[in-house]
Amino acid sequence: MRVACVSAHGSPFAAPGAGSAGGMSVFLRSMMQALTDAGVWMDVYAASDGPCPGSFEQEPPRVTHVAAEDAPGFADDLLAAVDETGVDYALVHSHYWTSAEPGLRLAERLGVPHVFTGHTIAVIKERAGGAPEPEPRKYAEADAIRRSDAVVTFTEAESASLCDLFGLAPDRTHAVPMGVDTTLFGPQPRAEARAALGIGGDERVVLSVGRIEPFKGTDVLVRAIALLDTSQDVRLLVVGGREGEPGTEWLRETARASEVSGLLDWRAAVPQRELPSYYAAADVCAVPSLHETFGLVALEAMACGIPVAASDTGGLRELVRHGESGLLCKPGDAAALAEAFDAMLGDPLLAQRMGEAGAAQARRFTWDASAARLAEVYEQVVSARLNG
Ligand code: UDP
């Protein structure tokens, strides 16, 4: 089976953890490789953000960067790029709302089914306390959910939300969890990781990984650190963003306002292959987002054997077992998050036990299993179209 994957939001090769790149580029990169290994040839047609590194003509999988100035231009250039390849795709899978219209146009033109994955859905973000989202986005998401043959989500809970919010029939949505590469993310000796990062062996380290912005709850995290019982020997290690990005300055201001600037250790985003030592150096990994569709960072921390303090919402609620692999707190509640940190930092044996439970849980989330499940969904959608 050959699948055209449309990503108008960014390339699988975008560096995650800064700018607008995050879990979606990790998902695309990991999934295209795992799908190929599962016998599904996935070609990715991606808008390039920033300098275009050109076309990647590995076969398979193949990534084509569609260089377009705007959304209508992207759709036209996408159709032209697909025409040029002359490949008979069996299905089109679009990722993120900006890809939906171009993907639907492509699927209609090829006469094949269309699958949509939103990654985040505007109405769900707003309900979770996020800033108002643009109306065209909400329209595009509702339209994609209505017109697609199937909607692939990352959790059963998200599928159920889409049925409630958009009247989607339950048999048209399929939950396919993301995965974690346990050959990269696994337990490592803490002392070595700390020495490499210039962190003292006796310090207590709370880690945050990923883009820095209000929806990720970075301000809640800073306020929680300020509330800790004995905050003096705690290091808040934040890995993500870049110097000069608004989020980075906002983080510093937030730390100043909470009088914890001295505890903040901000490091710019690093390539994923360097992240395991940051996880290994931590006593606890914080994921205080107002909402997470899946929660890749929590899963990576778990795979590294680090306990997680996370918001009780979305995918995090399914990944982190409260009291077992971490602690779940009400989103936006700095006092509850501080309490969770105190519980884990104050009881290293509890933290260690939770870390081990998390590592055992994370082993079940492989990209190969995710790809096998997605391949099944593709088969089902294609045969439903042939028979229907
Ligand atoms: N990440 C990375 N380097 C960094 C920070 C983050 O490679 O410095 C990766 C991290 O491993 C994770 C992804 O970026 O896989 C962020 O995932 P999340 O779902 O939180 O991203 P979002 O799409 O919500 O920004």
Side-chain angles (χ1 to χ4, degrees):
M1 165 156 0
R2 301 180 71 156
V3 173
C5 173
V6 181
S7 172
H9 184 55
S11 161
F13 297 108
S20 63
M24 203 173 108
S25 78
V26 174
F27 169 87
L28 289 174
R29 218 162 45 207
S30 310
M31 194 52 111
M32 71 186 189
Q33 195 54 59
L35 271 177
T36 302
D37 296 345
V40 176
W41 178 329
M42 180 164 109
D43 286 342
V44 181
Y45 293 88
S48 60
D49 72 343
C52 179
S55 272
F56 294 77
E57 296 287 337
Q58 313 125 285
E59 297 209 9
R62 182 170 57 183
V63 176
T64 303
H65 277 166
V66 178
E69 306 272 295
D70 52 19
F74 179 82
D76 291 342
D77 290 355
L78 168 70
L79 297 191
V82 172
D83 271 353
E84 210 173 296
T85 65
V87 174
D88 267 335
Y89 292 109
L91 181 141
V92 175
H93 188 170
S94 304
H95 294 270
Y96 201 64
W97 69 275
T98 47
S99 310
E101 184 55 35
L104 281 157
R105 261 182 69 187
L106 175 63
E108 272 157 29
R109 158 99 150 250
L110 299 175
V112 300
H114 182 260
V115 174
F116 175 63
T117 294
H119 290 261
T120 64
I121 298 289
V123 182
I124 296 179
K125 267 187 100 172
E126 283 183 350
R127 287 186 178 205
E133 291 288 331
E135 285 306 314
R137 171 174 183 172
K138 290 189 210 167
Y139 175 82
E141 286 171 348
D143 188 53
I145 290 168
R146 186 172 52 81
R147 288 166 61 199
S148 297
D149 294 74
V151 178
V152 168
T153 66
F154 301 124
T155 64
E156 296 293 348
E158 192 198 354
S159 284
S161 296
L162 298 187
C163 294
D164 281 352
L165 291 167
F166 297 95
L168 175 67
D171 64 351
R172 282 207 299 123
T173 176
H174 309 269
V176 179
M178 293 211 217
V180 62
D181 177 358
T182 50
T183 61
L184 177 65
F185 294 106
Q188 275 187 28
R190 175 166 296 165
E192 281 168 35
R194 285 193 174 187
L197 297 172
I199 298 173
D202 296 336
E203 293 186 50
R204 299 185 306 159
V205 178
V206 174
L207 172 71
S208 164
V209 171
R211 294 179 301 111
I212 300 169
E213 57 158 51
F215 200 72
K216 288 285 184 187
T218 321
D219 49 341
V220 182
L221 172 59
V222 169
R223 282 188 277 117
I225 292 294
L227 290 173
L228 286 182
D229 270 354
T230 49
S231 53
Q232 290 323 310
D233 58 348
V234 169
R235 182 191 290 250
L236 173 58
L237 178 59
V238 177
V239 186
R242 284 189 206 102
E243 195 58 80
E245 272 185 11
T248 311
E249 206 32 58
W250 172 69
L251 167 65
R252 290 192 181 115
E253 268 163 34
T254 311
R256 268 197 295 274
S258 295
E259 299 178 357
V260 291
S261 295
L263 308 183
L264 174 65
D265 175 4
W266 170 75
R267 317 253 181 135
V270 297
Q272 222 188 17
R273 64 176 181 281
E274 292 176 25
L275 271 182
S277 32
Y278 289 86
Y279 287 117
D283 290 288
V284 48
C285 179
V287 189
S289 316
L290 298 184
H291 185 83
E292 281 290 338
T293 311
F294 182 71
L296 264 184
V297 167
L299 181 59
E300 291 163 4
M302 286 161 64
C304 292
I306 304 305
V308 180
S311 294
D312 187 7
T313 178
L316 295 169
R317 181 178 288 167
E318 293 186 26
L319 279 177
V320 181
R321 296 211 188 120
H322 181 69
E324 216 177 291
S325 45
L327 294 170
L328 292 169
C329 320
K330 191 166 155 245
D333 188 340
L337 191 61
E339 228 175 90
F341 292 155
D342 271 331
M344 291 192 266
L345 295 175
D347 187 346
L349 278 179
L350 172 75
Q352 190 187 340
R353 223 175 31 242
M354 285 180 165
E356 284 164 5
Q361 243 180 285
R363 277 196 284 274
R364 291 202 308 273
F365 289 85
T366 66
W367 285 109
D368 285 346
S370 303
R373 173 81 192 104
L374 188 55
E376 266 170 35
V377 172
Y378 289 162
E379 294 284 351
Q380 205 175 319
V381 169
V382 168
S383 67
R385 174 67 77 96
L386 289 175
N387 301 325

